[in-house]
Amino acid sequence: MVTGSTTTESLQCVRCGQDQNLWQLSPRCTACGGLLAVSRDLSEYDATMLRGAWAARRGSLAPHDRSGVWRFRELIAPLDLDEMTARGEGNTGLYPTEELARWAGVASLHLKHEGENPTGSFKDRGMTAGVSVARKLGARTVACASTGNTSASLASYAALAGLGCLVLVPAGEHTSAAKLSQALAYGARTLAIRGDFDRALVLLQALAPELDLYVLNSVNPWRLEGQKSIMFETLEALGWEAPDWIVLPGGNLGNTSAFTKALLEMRELGLIARLPRIAVVQAAGASPFAASYAGGWAPLQPVRADTMATAIRIGDPVNHPKASAGVRALDGVVTTVTDPEIMDAKALVDRAGIGCEPASAASIAGLRRLCKEGVIGAEERVVAVITGHLLKDPDASSRYHASAAEHANPPTEVDADERSIRAVVRGL
Ligand code: F0G
């Protein structure tokens, strides 16, 4: 049956296995503090019916049908239609790129451009789900720690839903001014913490019960349910033919957890016949997950993170238990790239006319590295996820193009007369 609201979901702890109340305020297991995951009985769904219902909704004018998240609502959250706080999120482009594919070393490369979401990053897909659930629970104030994008997105959706919003971001240069300005402008109470993201998230989780805050970091299982829609939309756009690889950047590992869950659900439902592999790319200065992978899935050792890709400047990724299980299930790999590699890849994503912020370009830099190493073959078909918009970090672009970097395209200052312009243009 295909309906707006089903009751097949349950909430389970991935550590101790205990069943939890589906509609609870605690985002973690109340018994052991482990991560929670939404599970659902998929046996009542039929792949053909789901595909048909999802396709039909694209032609509707209703906000919950047009949303690239709620269009897939059977696999997102069992809410009534009027409980969904939506603002046209999702429905992002999937762009074939020939030059970039050649540069990376693969036959076919599509970029899924999540920067096209309303606040400029994939976070909107998680927040439409998380904030809708917050409203259903009767939460008064939603909160997050953030490297910037989560706070921008939460601030927007909280304002739409009429909820209070508290965000904690690292003070100073490690939070992009553009992202911070979004949180401020959407009206969030914004605390600039004299510490890093990892510290901010620890503090928030410790204080949330006392301060009556509903935490909407990706530790929240409903956030991940919303972010699964990136994979539903991608596979739908590819005619339900899985590519060979999905490549994405890894920070707090919410997307890694969400994508692998979505792909496993799609295979179980028969929506796709086979699974793609997954490649997670971390910045070298913030790569505890890559180190765990390289050590044969050794226990994750938190690090003090540092990278110019501030969105993924994370040293203790909260979702690593889910992410490592997911990567293993998809026979995936985890790799690292340096900041200069990230910035060169970003320049090429930008020049392709698509554009992204530094963290997003880690996926393309990582793809190139994996091709050079022979992990990804030249004939393979790849989808890389571009997680955030170019304008999320304009300073990073300006600095790059003012530098002597390989793909720098600096402006030429000229006198304000015809002759000077003519001389410069003819000189090109
Ligand atoms: N790309 C961008 C643009 C991000 O903003 C983030 C995370 C990631 C990638 C990493 O995704 O955590 O699912 O592995 N940004 C968070 C924030 C942490 O606060 O905005 P992940």
Side-chain angles (χ1 to χ4, degrees), residues 75 87 145 147 156 165 264 293 311 341 415 426:
L75 304 186
R87 62 166 296 198
T147 57
S156 166
C165 180
L264 291 165
Y293 168 80
E341 286 177 302
D415 288 333
R426 288 213 172 120

PDB file of all heavy atoms in Angstrom, residues 75 87 145 147 156 165 264 293 311 341 415 426:
ATOM      1  N   LEU A  75       9.567   6.005   2.716  1.00  0.00           N
ATOM      2  CA  LEU A  75      10.849   5.564   3.283  1.00  0.00           C
ATOM      3  C   LEU A  75      11.540   6.685   4.062  1.00  0.00           C
ATOM      4  O   LEU A  75      12.746   6.647   4.278  1.00  0.00           O
ATOM      5  CB  LEU A  75      11.775   5.051   2.171  1.00  0.00           C
ATOM      6  CG  LEU A  75      11.228   3.920   1.287  1.00  0.00           C
ATOM      7  CD1 LEU A  75      12.306   3.415   0.332  1.00  0.00           C
ATOM      8  CD2 LEU A  75      10.703   2.750   2.127  1.00  0.00           C
ATOM      9  N   ARG A  87      10.147  23.170   2.116  1.00  0.00           N
ATOM     10  CA  ARG A  87      10.347  24.404   1.350  1.00  0.00           C
ATOM     11  C   ARG A  87      11.045  24.108   0.028  1.00  0.00           C
ATOM     12  O   ARG A  87      11.998  24.775  -0.351  1.00  0.00           O
ATOM     13  CB  ARG A  87      11.082  25.486   2.153  1.00  0.00           C
ATOM     14  CG  ARG A  87      12.462  25.164   2.607  1.00  0.00           C
ATOM     15  CD  ARG A  87      13.249  26.393   3.086  1.00  0.00           C
ATOM     16  NE  ARG A  87      13.495  27.381   2.057  1.00  0.00           N
ATOM     17  CZ  ARG A  87      14.425  28.337   2.128  1.00  0.00           C
ATOM     18  NH1 ARG A  87      15.186  28.438   3.201  1.00  0.00           N
ATOM     19  NH2 ARG A  87      14.607  29.193   1.163  1.00  0.00           N
ATOM     20  N   ALA A 145      25.099  21.735  16.901  1.00  0.00           N
ATOM     21  CA  ALA A 145      26.469  22.232  16.767  1.00  0.00           C
ATOM     22  C   ALA A 145      26.761  22.146  15.288  1.00  0.00           C
ATOM     23  O   ALA A 145      26.226  21.269  14.612  1.00  0.00           O
ATOM     24  CB  ALA A 145      27.433  21.362  17.549  1.00  0.00           C
ATOM     25  N   THR A 147      29.578  23.120  11.738  1.00  0.00           N
ATOM     26  CA  THR A 147      30.682  23.793  11.060  1.00  0.00           C
ATOM     27  C   THR A 147      30.129  24.877  10.128  1.00  0.00           C
ATOM     28  O   THR A 147      30.880  25.512   9.406  1.00  0.00           O
ATOM     29  CB  THR A 147      31.543  22.790  10.268  1.00  0.00           C
ATOM     30  OG1 THR A 147      30.709  22.089   9.329  1.00  0.00           O
ATOM     31  CG2 THR A 147      32.201  21.769  11.184  1.00  0.00           C
ATOM     32  N   SER A 156      16.836  28.064   9.130  1.00  0.00           N
ATOM     33  CA  SER A 156      15.775  28.309   8.158  1.00  0.00           C
ATOM     34  C   SER A 156      14.528  27.472   8.458  1.00  0.00           C
ATOM     35  O   SER A 156      13.409  27.991   8.506  1.00  0.00           O
ATOM     36  CB  SER A 156      16.296  27.990   6.753  1.00  0.00           C
ATOM     37  OG  SER A 156      15.225  27.910   5.845  1.00  0.00           O
ATOM     38  N   CYS A 165      15.417  28.365  17.930  1.00  0.00           N
ATOM     39  CA  CYS A 165      16.591  27.703  17.352  1.00  0.00           C
ATOM     40  C   CYS A 165      17.868  28.207  18.021  1.00  0.00           C
ATOM     41  O   CYS A 165      18.095  29.406  18.110  1.00  0.00           O
ATOM     42  CB  CYS A 165      16.642  27.992  15.851  1.00  0.00           C
ATOM     43  SG  CYS A 165      18.050  27.226  15.024  1.00  0.00           S
ATOM     44  N   LEU A 264      20.844   0.006   0.672  1.00  0.00           N
ATOM     45  CA  LEU A 264      20.469  -1.338   1.140  1.00  0.00           C
ATOM     46  C   LEU A 264      18.947  -1.506   1.129  1.00  0.00           C
ATOM     47  O   LEU A 264      18.432  -2.553   0.738  1.00  0.00           O
ATOM     48  CB  LEU A 264      21.044  -1.594   2.538  1.00  0.00           C
ATOM     49  CG  LEU A 264      22.582  -1.743   2.571  1.00  0.00           C
ATOM     50  CD1 LEU A 264      23.113  -1.623   4.007  1.00  0.00           C
ATOM     51  CD2 LEU A 264      23.020  -3.078   1.941  1.00  0.00           C
ATOM     52  N   TYR A 293      39.749   2.672   8.781  1.00  0.00           N
ATOM     53  CA  TYR A 293      39.627   1.785   7.603  1.00  0.00           C
ATOM     54  C   TYR A 293      40.987   1.185   7.240  1.00  0.00           C
ATOM     55  O   TYR A 293      41.123  -0.025   7.049  1.00  0.00           O
ATOM     56  CB  TYR A 293      39.063   2.589   6.426  1.00  0.00           C
ATOM     57  CG  TYR A 293      39.155   1.885   5.093  1.00  0.00           C
ATOM     58  CD1 TYR A 293      38.233   0.900   4.736  1.00  0.00           C
ATOM     59  CD2 TYR A 293      40.176   2.198   4.192  1.00  0.00           C
ATOM     60  CE1 TYR A 293      38.331   0.245   3.516  1.00  0.00           C
ATOM     61  CE2 TYR A 293      40.276   1.551   2.976  1.00  0.00           C
ATOM     62  CZ  TYR A 293      39.356   0.575   2.642  1.00  0.00           C
ATOM     63  OH  TYR A 293      39.457  -0.070   1.447  1.00  0.00           O
ATOM     64  N   ALA A 311      33.984  22.695   6.430  1.00  0.00           N
ATOM     65  CA  ALA A 311      32.751  21.930   6.645  1.00  0.00           C
ATOM     66  C   ALA A 311      33.051  20.537   7.191  1.00  0.00           C
ATOM     67  O   ALA A 311      32.235  19.958   7.917  1.00  0.00           O
ATOM     68  CB  ALA A 311      31.967  21.817   5.342  1.00  0.00           C
ATOM     69  N   GLU A 341      45.022  19.413  -3.021  1.00  0.00           N
ATOM     70  CA  GLU A 341      44.267  18.557  -3.958  1.00  0.00           C
ATOM     71  C   GLU A 341      42.785  18.949  -3.964  1.00  0.00           C
ATOM     72  O   GLU A 341      42.147  18.993  -5.017  1.00  0.00           O
ATOM     73  CB  GLU A 341      44.405  17.080  -3.555  1.00  0.00           C
ATOM     74  CG  GLU A 341      45.758  16.453  -3.854  1.00  0.00           C
ATOM     75  CD  GLU A 341      45.836  15.008  -3.365  1.00  0.00           C
ATOM     76  OE1 GLU A 341      45.642  14.751  -2.170  1.00  0.00           O
ATOM     77  OE2 GLU A 341      46.096  14.125  -4.203  1.00  0.00           O
ATOM     78  N   ASP A 415      42.476  50.451 -16.279  1.00  0.00           N
ATOM     79  CA  ASP A 415      41.977  51.821 -16.213  1.00  0.00           C
ATOM     80  C   ASP A 415      40.599  51.889 -16.866  1.00  0.00           C
ATOM     81  O   ASP A 415      40.280  51.092 -17.758  1.00  0.00           O
ATOM     82  CB  ASP A 415      42.941  52.770 -16.937  1.00  0.00           C
ATOM     83  CG  ASP A 415      44.226  52.951 -16.129  1.00  0.00           C
ATOM     84  OD1 ASP A 415      44.159  52.795 -14.882  1.00  0.00           O
ATOM     85  OD2 ASP A 415      45.275  53.210 -16.731  1.00  0.00           O
ATOM     86  N   ARG A 426      42.504  42.308 -26.446  1.00  0.00           N
ATOM     87  CA  ARG A 426      43.222  41.884 -27.662  1.00  0.00           C
ATOM     88  C   ARG A 426      44.485  41.117 -27.309  1.00  0.00           C
ATOM     89  O   ARG A 426      44.928  40.246 -28.049  1.00  0.00           O
ATOM     90  CB  ARG A 426      43.564  43.104 -28.511  1.00  0.00           C
ATOM     91  CG  ARG A 426      42.321  43.667 -29.163  1.00  0.00           C
ATOM     92  CD  ARG A 426      42.650  44.254 -30.519  1.00  0.00           C
ATOM     93  NE  ARG A 426      41.425  44.614 -31.203  1.00  0.00           N
ATOM     94  CZ  ARG A 426      41.118  45.842 -31.608  1.00  0.00           C
ATOM     95  NH1 ARG A 426      41.973  46.838 -31.388  1.00  0.00           N
ATOM     96  NH2 ARG A 426      39.992  46.088 -32.205  1.00  0.00           N
TER      97      ARG A 426
END
